[in-house]
Amino acid sequence: MRRVAILISGGGSNMEALVRDMGGDHPARAVLVVSNVPGAGGLAKAQALGVPTAVVDHRDYPTREAFEAALTQALRPAAPELICLAGFMRVLTAGFVAGWEGRMLNIHPSLLPKYKGLNTHARAIEAGDAQAGCSVHEVTARLDDGPILGQARVPVEPGDTPDTLAARILPWEHRLYPAVLRRFALGDKRPVLLP
């Protein structure tokens, strides 16, 4: 059984989808949810699901390295083997990422390698793309750049706004991330393609 820590910054809907899927015959279990934002909505969701939580407020630390040292201290007692970033809005340093190489996943709201970074839905609409979606990838030192482990595609419809497109993609995020984690926890890195 692989032990999974999930890092969040907000409402935690992807975290919730992951935790709810990690039951029964799933090869992994959530052992800790950590937020860098005190009072993030996802903390209460995790507690309601019986997952221990911790807060490491990045604003309490003068550097990224100091924040990540505190994050590592918070993670250590739970002894996670894998980390899932689920709406975690901090860019991690190469040093931290190197310590988790091959064991850290992220979900990103675009069809990578397109639209790394922020404002992905607006950028897809502005470019006139016929499709948008989401990707799960291994985390590397370069932002949103690691090997792609899964994607879900959604058509961009006439009149879409960034908000309407995001709302149509989110349910696919909640299906894709658990499917990728289930496979990845077994050592299988073949991409999951939805629908």
Side-chain angles (χ1 to χ4, degrees):
M1 194 68 64
R2 307 298 297 276
R3 297 170 65 83
V4 178
I6 305 172
L7 307 188
I8 65 169
S9 295
S13 69
N14 272 303
M15 173 277 299
E16 186 175 13
L18 288 170
V19 172
R20 289 189 181 281
D21 194 59
M22 281 188 268
D25 65 351
H26 197 288
R29 289 291 182 273
V31 295
L32 182 67
V33 171
V34 183
S35 177
N36 66 306
V37 179
L43 292 168
K45 290 178 183 173
Q47 290 162 359
L49 291 165
V51 181
T53 61
V55 174
V56 182
D57 188 343
H58 64 277
R59 295 169 298 186
D60 291 343
Y61 301 91
T63 64
R64 287 186 186 193
E65 290 79 7
F67 163 67
E68 290 171 357
L71 179 59
T72 297
Q73 287 297 108
L75 289 167
R76 188 167 286 135
E81 299 164 79
L82 303 173
I83 291 180
C84 289
L85 307 181
F88 185 65
M89 302 304 289
R90 301 299 298 167
V91 175
L92 296 165
T93 66
F96 184 88
V97 171
W100 289 94
E101 187 174 352
R103 300 184 296 141
M104 185 161 43
L105 307 181
N106 182 47
I107 188 156
H108 183 72
S110 79
L111 295 174
L112 291 173
K114 284 187 170 184
Y115 314 127
K116 297 172 184 178
L118 302 174
N119 305 313
T120 58
H121 305 309
R123 290 157 68 194
I125 292 167
E126 287 165 12
D129 290 355
Q131 289 186 318
C134 54
S135 306
V136 176
H137 65 95
E138 285 187 54
V139 177
T140 62
R142 295 180 63 182
L143 183 68
D144 299 328
D145 198 57
I148 295 169
L149 299 171
Q151 290 189 320
R153 295 176 178 272
V154 171
V156 179
E157 296 180 353
D160 257 337
T161 67
D163 287 344
T164 61
L165 184 56
R168 269 206 326 286
I169 291 171
L170 190 60
W172 287 102
E173 293 183 25
H174 297 163
R175 292 176 62 184
L176 179 67
Y177 210 172
V180 170
L181 177 60
R182 183 180 284 262
R183 185 175 279 189
F184 188 80
L186 293 169
D188 185 346
K189 296 186 179 184
R190 289 174 300 156
V192 175
L193 302 176
L194 301 176

